Amino acid sequence: MAKTILILPGDGIGPEIVAEARKVLEVVNQRFDLNLTLTEGLVGGAAIDATGVPLPDATLDAARQADAILLGAVGGPKWDQLDTAIRPEKGLLGLRSNLELFANLRPAILYPQLAEASSLKPEIVAGLDILIVRELTGGIYFGKPRGIRTLENGEREGYNTYVYRESEIERIGRVAFEAARKRNGKVCSIDKANVLEVTVLWREVMDRLAKDYPDVQLSHMYVDNAAMQLVRAPKQFDVLVTGNMFGDILSDEAAMLTGSIGMLPSASLDRNNKGMYEPCHGSAPDIAGQGVANPLATILSVAMMLRYSVGAEEAASTIEAAVGKVLDQGLRTRDIASTGATVVSTREMGEAVLAAL
Ligand code: NAD
């Protein structure tokens, strides 16, 4: 059956990296007869410039109708002074919450060819393969009340609310347990149950869920320790499951273990495996327009999209193999280049993947 893919390039390096990923998608679409229709829309700063809002109705409608969404990145200094309610990031948060994309899957895999790109010793990271499952539509990023208020004495106070319902914890927990079943059978749940009641409940729900998955081993860890363990001995982990804010931070830390945030894809899924796929990194305004951004995270996001939302496993693994081949050839964008590597531009890297396909 024909499927529709909505492409949202966004801001900064977004359009540059998405252009390369789109070419890859077009090639596999034909090669594997996937019958995908590709459409494009505006989100983030690009949408603010064109329409005044970060998530125009037309984009949200198109996203609702699409079977999957490929997103570049949003944000940049140009829009940093705007009120938080209409900042580019609101476009992203709006898509995640409106489409109920509650499960964010962020693999951190260290390609053997890039072991030297990690800031950690190769023996600590070589062969790393962990999956961070982050709750994406709840927690402190969405909790109400929130705001900045003025107290009676005239001093201002900022406040947010950290809240999770049992049902929200349970559905993300199930995603993690199911994922662990297909991997090495271990889930580590990250919380701060020594301080925050909301995560006392989180821990209780995870323990309860574990009874449904006797084949999966559940452990718990405080988030501060997890941050430490990720740099001390990251290979102890298989699947990590955590809330929105802790997951935001830990997944960037895990990304760095692999040497470059420019290599890591992500998927955000709803209950029916409809998903939004995007690189883990942001819009990198510091290098936007220079043609040096690494497009591989976005290209690998296309592979994840084909696997989870299109059900085209062969096309997905063909793309992943092509990326491996390009790394074998010694081609590197600047962010993953070690001495002696052949440094290529964003477009050259995209073309090398196409050739390897
Ligand atoms: P960032 O991920 O954009 O950049 C961090 C560093 O990594 C920068 O030095 C950047 O040059 C580098 N980098 C990132 N992606 C790269 C790539 N593909 N190739 C090579 N180098 C790459 O994070 P930041 O600087 O904290 O944020 C910049 C902007 O992006 C902000 O406006 C922020 O709000 C936004 N942001 C958006 C998303 C998203 O759209 N999902 C996520 C995070 C940050």
Side-chain angles (χ1 to χ4, degrees), residues 109-110 114 117-118 255-264 281 294 297 333 335-336:
I109 296 172
L110 184 64
L114 297 180
S118 172
M256 204 52 233
L257 298 178
T258 69
S260 173
I261 199 161
M263 290 300 302
L264 297 173
H281 57 73
N294 187 346
T333 43
D335 54 310
I336 51 172

Side-chain angles (χ1 to χ4, degrees), residues 13 17 71-76 80 89 92 96 261-262 278 280-287 292-294 335:
I13 60 170
I17 52 180
L71 179 109
V74 298
D80 276 352
E89 292 76 8
L92 199 59
R96 287 174 183 167
I261 199 161
E278 56 181 312
C280 285
H281 57 73
S283 58
D286 54 331
I287 57 166
V292 299
N294 187 346
D335 54 310

Side-chain angles (χ1 to χ4, degrees), residues 114 290-295 326-327 329-350 352:
L114 297 180
Q290 297 174 20
V292 299
N294 187 346
V326 167
L327 295 176
Q329 290 160 9
L331 303 185
R332 305 281 187 269
T333 43
R334 207 174 62 183
D335 54 310
I336 51 172
S338 50
T339 32
T342 311
V343 178
V344 296
S345 68
T346 309
R347 182 168 301 162
E348 286 164 340
M349 184 57 104

